[in-house]
Amino acid sequence: MKKIWKYRFYYYLALPGLIYFVIFHYVPMGGALIAFKDISPFDGLQGFFDAPWVGLKHFERFTSSVYFYDVIENTLIISGLKILFGFPAPIIFALLLNEVLRMNLKRVMQTVSYLPHFISWVVTAGMVTALLATSGGLITESINDFTGSKINFLGNKDYFVGILVTSHVWKTIGWSSIIYLAAMSSIDPALYESARLDGANRLQMARHITIPSIMFVIVIMLLLEIGNLLEAGFEQVLLLYSPSVYKVADIIDTFVYREGLLALKYSFAAAVGLFKAVIAFFLLYTANRLANRLGQTGLW
Amino acid sequence: MKLLYIIFSSVIIFMFSTVVKADEHDFVIFNNSGLLQFDGGGSDPAVLQRVSDHVAKLSGVRPMVIVPSLQDTTEQLNLLLAGSNPPDLFQADWDVYKSTLMPLNDLLKEHGQALLGSIPDTSWQYMTDADGNIMGVPRTAATSPYMTWVRQDILDEAGLDLPKTVEDLTAYMAAAQKINPDFKAGTRAWSTNKWEEPAFGFAAGFTGAMSYNAAFIDPSDGRAKPLPLADGIKDYLHFMNDWHNKGYWYPDNWSKFDESEVFRTCNIAMWSGWYSRITIIVPKVVSACPGMEYVRAPIMGPKGWIATTRPSGTSAYVINKKADNPEAIMKYLNWIWNDKSMEGYATGVNGIEGEHWSYEKKGFPAIINTKDKSDTKYVGDFGLPNFPYEGNMQPNDSLWATHFNYLGSGLTNLSDSHHPIDLFMAWDKGRLADETPSLGDVHRMIAENFTAFYTGERSIDEYDAFLAELDDAGMQDWIDAMTRQMQESWNN
Amino acid sequence: MKNPYKTEIFYNYIIIGVLLILTLSFLLPFIVVLSTSLIGEAEWAERGGHVLYPKKISLVAYDILFGKSYVLFNAYQVTFLRVTLGTFCNLLFTTTLAYALAQRDLPGRIPLTFFVFFTMVFNGGLIPQFLLVDFLNLRNTIFALFVPTLVNGWYFLIMRNFFMNIPKDLIDAAVIDGASPVRVLISVVLPLSMPVMATIGLFYAVYHWNEWFYASIYITDNQLKPMQIILRGLLNYASMDGMENISFMEQPPPGASLRAALIVFSTVPILVVYPFIQKYFVKGIMIGGVKG
């Protein structure tokens, strides 16, 4: 008890933020219950209470679909590949950028690197479609000149996921590297000085100084990615996919989206959302335990 | 620390003390009719006020308009309806929003005589539910938007007449490719995430039946069945696959492509898809392809017309059952869609007569002179487009001529397309989806497999296996649900 | 033995080479977007929507964008207010919470952090949030644009971890001098945390600058619509994914150049502001001196 009094100022500091979470996150959280009801969204609050309780009906609809396993598998594969390639990329990019000595060049390259982040997926998808068009697309025609065959990339199940991952990495590498660069800038330069004097080369300095110093950022960002494992990039997939590639490209969110096109399906969407949240929670909990065990501060 | 709290508290107090004042109005319109597609910011406030006064003077009522945000209009609408000040008038599929709507029968009788006169009787059929309630004012009509288009310049060069049968069409493509091997036939299998587009363009010619829902009644058991079960469906699939093997199809038909870019290549020898690609996109890119000219070609297959008429559906202007002043709303609609005068419609869409527009020729159709929206600064907040009127108010502008001419003559010409059995029926889509929980799976399965059959990825010999898979996915439930609805609609 | 100096230079070239290729891959599409925004209707009809350079510069897309000046000016004010007031409040609430929960000995720290973390995974959804904002009468006010998203859970965690990473001796020194927690925060911790404050501030600011979805559902009053809504109202994204609008008054798509102009327009302010923030990232390395 005495400790609480001693730390009272910190509680005062935390209070406004906590109140925000209570009001804007915990109060509406009851709304997640629409996953267990048959809701008609327009009846407002009263309608929420009046709506019939249907238990696990929506969850059953989801899990009993003939495409349930396909959709989950696609989501995990696409998301997994995006993490596999897209997570280290900004870190490596930041490390490379760190090595550049000419300030102006470094600044320019860094600024240019986040431009893709500002180009919306609609335009990016448009560019991808134009580059990969079977007749006239820049990339397709170039490949045709070399190999003599015209590949329909966007309709090809073997290439489609690769296209998703590549365009995703391209779009996010610059912006994601900002946080790592910010962390790197706090490293005491004296550490590098003494390492250099000891004869360490670049790679060794990166391995033993830079990376450990930014590890606390890497961990938290990795946890964020893991928490988003079931988000495989809805907008991007929706803009690029088609029935030809449903088998590899249909993810949880596009599945729910098409259901919503048939009729308003708020309860169904809420049920799937809850399903994803529960899984994300367990993933994060496990990942965090692992991180803690490895001596890192994770989520708590 | 204290300072921090003072800041917090003042922010919070400031937050709650702002008061929202609303202008005086009789009812609220959420104008998601599509007219304000590119004008998310609305009109100049001063001009809007003047037009509002003018409208109030002419119609006797004063609406307030919410300009929707274009990218998530449905989401926005649904939330507004759930909130504390829901809009009174908006456009929606009445069967989906049924629980929030007011039946219009009495309102129409008392205040909507001119409106009733302006809309053909058949259109009201789409608006009537199983109990005889008219749930909305029809937004569209049955149309034929999926016709086949061929190139006049290619016909001329090859010395061919307009194709009339499927064989003619195949011969046309062969001749086109002799002239230029890059000439291809375009269609879209990826549009609206549905499988209907090539099917609406070709299937009926081989099956004599087509619909996104029930395509035919099976005489052996009286049930309403969908296209995959129709007799002759394999002929349709063979036709599509045959063209694929011959290299007639544009390769990206089955994935994604940018229509403007594709038409600009000048290599589309045939188009079977949404008409506006021809009436709107082609005129814009035609300068890049001198001589390129498309003509509408009604084609007959072994079992009839290959194109299918698209039913009007349940899209309507609807009134919220919580509306305080429904009579005012009906008066307004009666003024806008008046069977005697174009004045209401033209004013709502264009602004003040004399200042923003004027008649070139009165009557039905009327030709009017309009000014550019950036000059008038009024974007059409009060305008409510409706099918009869959209075609009847023609701007005196050559660039739009193609499109409007087509609206009048081509789009509504139902004589050269197959009439589906559900042409005048209003499907209750919400109920279909409720009674067939796995409907989404069935549609995906059809889309995926039809595409595979077209491209040869899956052999058509496996068709029966495909039908078995459809059954596993819940097709029988769908058939039962559709049969029920069809029978109920006949009993009315 | 290889000359270490030469090896160093060799690797330098490789690194610069890789970075240059990457930079080009980032820059080219943006140049395409920029060029596309500067072509006119006729050139678009002839060359298509992705050009590397305009044959003839036409400002018609920007004309249309700015032509709506009667609403645009207002929208600017709203966005400016949103970005400044919003980011300030975001940082205020996030920093105080993050700093408080960064104290390793704070009783109840883990449950409190879990309390925040839980909201990052589970939420009630869009409708309950909307009803809440509606109930609080915040609809059609500027507050609806940033209060519901006052603290982003992930930014909070990043900031907290940064705070936890500050060398303890620096803080202890200040505490021994008798400073209160707020004083320590303001005079010691914040100056040391400039990089993360700048980064998180940037993230929040860019979020406010680009965000349109919540603005569209909470704001229906035309006078209060932020810039992104107005600008996006000029485009019809529906024509991209093939969703057909049933309206027969289908208008021609406003053109790739308009869409491109919108992107250029949304990005340029960030490009202008970013160099000022960049100096916070580069400080440490700069002091680090020359290698080799």
Side-chain angles (χ1 to χ4, degrees), chain A residues 1-10:
Chain A
M1 276 307 113
K2 259 220 299 245
K3 234 186 171 190
I4 295 187
W5 180 251
K6 177 177 165 207
Y7 282 93
R8 66 188 184 282
F9 287 111
Y10 294 106

PDB file of all heavy atoms in Angstrom, chain A residues 1-10:
ATOM      1  N   MET A   1       0.820  -1.209   0.000  1.00  0.00           N
ATOM      2  CA  MET A   1       0.000   0.000   0.000  1.00  0.00           C
ATOM      3  C   MET A   1       0.855   1.260   0.000  1.00  0.00           C
ATOM      4  O   MET A   1       0.535   2.226  -0.683  1.00  0.00           O
ATOM      5  CB  MET A   1      -0.920   0.030   1.226  1.00  0.00           C
ATOM      6  CG  MET A   1      -2.188  -0.760   0.998  1.00  0.00           C
ATOM      7  SD  MET A   1      -3.057  -0.266  -0.493  1.00  0.00           S
ATOM      8  CE  MET A   1      -2.887  -1.717  -1.496  1.00  0.00           C
ATOM      9  N   LYS A   2       1.918   1.204   0.817  1.00  0.00           N
ATOM     10  CA  LYS A   2       2.789   2.382   0.878  1.00  0.00           C
ATOM     11  C   LYS A   2       3.385   2.646  -0.491  1.00  0.00           C
ATOM     12  O   LYS A   2       3.566   3.771  -0.879  1.00  0.00           O
ATOM     13  CB  LYS A   2       3.921   2.130   1.896  1.00  0.00           C
ATOM     14  CG  LYS A   2       3.689   2.777   3.223  1.00  0.00           C
ATOM     15  CD  LYS A   2       4.918   3.385   3.863  1.00  0.00           C
ATOM     16  CE  LYS A   2       6.013   2.406   4.150  1.00  0.00           C
ATOM     17  NZ  LYS A   2       6.284   2.252   5.587  1.00  0.00           N
ATOM     18  N   LYS A   3       3.610   1.539  -1.219  1.00  0.00           N
ATOM     19  CA  LYS A   3       4.212   1.676  -2.554  1.00  0.00           C
ATOM     20  C   LYS A   3       3.278   2.432  -3.494  1.00  0.00           C
ATOM     21  O   LYS A   3       3.717   3.242  -4.284  1.00  0.00           O
ATOM     22  CB  LYS A   3       4.514   0.280  -3.108  1.00  0.00           C
ATOM     23  CG  LYS A   3       5.960   0.142  -3.527  1.00  0.00           C
ATOM     24  CD  LYS A   3       6.235  -1.178  -4.201  1.00  0.00           C
ATOM     25  CE  LYS A   3       7.645  -1.156  -4.778  1.00  0.00           C
ATOM     26  NZ  LYS A   3       7.897  -2.298  -5.630  1.00  0.00           N
ATOM     27  N   ILE A   4       2.000   2.125  -3.377  1.00  0.00           N
ATOM     28  CA  ILE A   4       1.047   2.800  -4.246  1.00  0.00           C
ATOM     29  C   ILE A   4       1.075   4.301  -3.989  1.00  0.00           C
ATOM     30  O   ILE A   4       1.068   5.103  -4.911  1.00  0.00           O
ATOM     31  CB  ILE A   4      -0.378   2.246  -4.053  1.00  0.00           C
ATOM     32  CG1 ILE A   4      -0.420   0.787  -4.512  1.00  0.00           C
ATOM     33  CG2 ILE A   4      -1.379   3.089  -4.796  1.00  0.00           C
ATOM     34  CD1 ILE A   4      -1.788   0.183  -4.535  1.00  0.00           C
ATOM     35  N   TRP A   5       1.160   4.675  -2.721  1.00  0.00           N
ATOM     36  CA  TRP A   5       1.217   6.093  -2.400  1.00  0.00           C
ATOM     37  C   TRP A   5       2.487   6.713  -2.938  1.00  0.00           C
ATOM     38  O   TRP A   5       2.494   7.814  -3.472  1.00  0.00           O
ATOM     39  CB  TRP A   5       1.118   6.291  -0.882  1.00  0.00           C
ATOM     40  CG  TRP A   5       1.168   7.742  -0.517  1.00  0.00           C
ATOM     41  CD1 TRP A   5       2.192   8.387   0.107  1.00  0.00           C
ATOM     42  CD2 TRP A   5       0.180   8.736  -0.812  1.00  0.00           C
ATOM     43  NE1 TRP A   5       1.911   9.703   0.237  1.00  0.00           N
ATOM     44  CE2 TRP A   5       0.670   9.966  -0.317  1.00  0.00           C
ATOM     45  CE3 TRP A   5      -1.073   8.709  -1.435  1.00  0.00           C
ATOM     46  CZ2 TRP A   5      -0.050  11.150  -0.427  1.00  0.00           C
ATOM     47  CZ3 TRP A   5      -1.779   9.892  -1.534  1.00  0.00           C
ATOM     48  CH2 TRP A   5      -1.267  11.092  -1.042  1.00  0.00           C
ATOM     49  N   LYS A   6       3.574   5.936  -2.855  1.00  0.00           N
ATOM     50  CA  LYS A   6       4.848   6.468  -3.332  1.00  0.00           C
ATOM     51  C   LYS A   6       4.790   6.729  -4.828  1.00  0.00           C
ATOM     52  O   LYS A   6       5.359   7.685  -5.326  1.00  0.00           O
ATOM     53  CB  LYS A   6       5.945   5.454  -2.991  1.00  0.00           C
ATOM     54  CG  LYS A   6       7.327   5.840  -3.480  1.00  0.00           C
ATOM     55  CD  LYS A   6       8.373   4.812  -3.025  1.00  0.00           C
ATOM     56  CE  LYS A   6       9.664   4.991  -3.806  1.00  0.00           C
ATOM     57  NZ  LYS A   6      10.424   3.750  -3.914  1.00  0.00           N
ATOM     58  N   TYR A   7       4.101   5.844  -5.541  1.00  0.00           N
ATOM     59  CA  TYR A   7       4.059   5.971  -6.997  1.00  0.00           C
ATOM     60  C   TYR A   7       2.844   6.743  -7.494  1.00  0.00           C
ATOM     61  O   TYR A   7       2.530   6.708  -8.666  1.00  0.00           O
ATOM     62  CB  TYR A   7       4.064   4.579  -7.625  1.00  0.00           C
ATOM     63  CG  TYR A   7       5.429   3.939  -7.638  1.00  0.00           C
ATOM     64  CD1 TYR A   7       5.837   3.098  -6.599  1.00  0.00           C
ATOM     65  CD2 TYR A   7       6.303   4.197  -8.675  1.00  0.00           C
ATOM     66  CE1 TYR A   7       7.094   2.529  -6.626  1.00  0.00           C
ATOM     67  CE2 TYR A   7       7.551   3.623  -8.697  1.00  0.00           C
ATOM     68  CZ  TYR A   7       7.947   2.790  -7.662  1.00  0.00           C
ATOM     69  OH  TYR A   7       9.192   2.228  -7.693  1.00  0.00           O
ATOM     70  N   ARG A   8       2.176   7.473  -6.535  1.00  0.00           N
ATOM     71  CA  ARG A   8       0.892   8.032  -6.928  1.00  0.00           C
ATOM     72  C   ARG A   8       0.964   8.946  -8.138  1.00  0.00           C
ATOM     73  O   ARG A   8       0.052   8.973  -8.944  1.00  0.00           O
ATOM     74  CB  ARG A   8       0.249   8.775  -5.763  1.00  0.00           C
ATOM     75  CG  ARG A   8       1.008  10.029  -5.328  1.00  0.00           C
ATOM     76  CD  ARG A   8       0.405  10.587  -4.053  1.00  0.00           C
ATOM     77  NE  ARG A   8       1.047  11.833  -3.668  1.00  0.00           N
ATOM     78  CZ  ARG A   8       2.225  11.895  -3.083  1.00  0.00           C
ATOM     79  NH1 ARG A   8       2.890  10.783  -2.828  1.00  0.00           N
ATOM     80  NH2 ARG A   8       2.744  13.060  -2.767  1.00  0.00           N
ATOM     81  N   PHE A   9       2.098   9.670  -8.285  1.00  0.00           N
ATOM     82  CA  PHE A   9       2.179  10.580  -9.426  1.00  0.00           C
ATOM     83  C   PHE A   9       2.106   9.840 -10.757  1.00  0.00           C
ATOM     84  O   PHE A   9       1.563  10.339 -11.720  1.00  0.00           O
ATOM     85  CB  PHE A   9       3.467  11.403  -9.363  1.00  0.00           C
ATOM     86  CG  PHE A   9       3.413  12.448  -8.304  1.00  0.00           C
ATOM     87  CD1 PHE A   9       4.198  12.366  -7.177  1.00  0.00           C
ATOM     88  CD2 PHE A   9       2.532  13.519  -8.435  1.00  0.00           C
ATOM     89  CE1 PHE A   9       4.136  13.344  -6.198  1.00  0.00           C
ATOM     90  CE2 PHE A   9       2.464  14.491  -7.459  1.00  0.00           C
ATOM     91  CZ  PHE A   9       3.260  14.402  -6.339  1.00  0.00           C
ATOM     92  N   TYR A  10       2.665   8.662 -10.749  1.00  0.00           N
ATOM     93  CA  TYR A  10       2.615   7.894 -11.995  1.00  0.00           C
ATOM     94  C   TYR A  10       1.201   7.455 -12.306  1.00  0.00           C
ATOM     95  O   TYR A  10       0.792   7.407 -13.457  1.00  0.00           O
ATOM     96  CB  TYR A  10       3.557   6.691 -11.920  1.00  0.00           C
ATOM     97  CG  TYR A  10       4.994   7.105 -11.834  1.00  0.00           C
ATOM     98  CD1 TYR A  10       5.702   7.004 -10.635  1.00  0.00           C
ATOM     99  CD2 TYR A  10       5.636   7.630 -12.949  1.00  0.00           C
ATOM    100  CE1 TYR A  10       7.017   7.407 -10.564  1.00  0.00           C
ATOM    101  CE2 TYR A  10       6.947   8.033 -12.876  1.00  0.00           C
ATOM    102  CZ  TYR A  10       7.639   7.920 -11.681  1.00  0.00           C
ATOM    103  OH  TYR A  10       8.930   8.331 -11.610  1.00  0.00           O
TER     104      TYR A  10
END
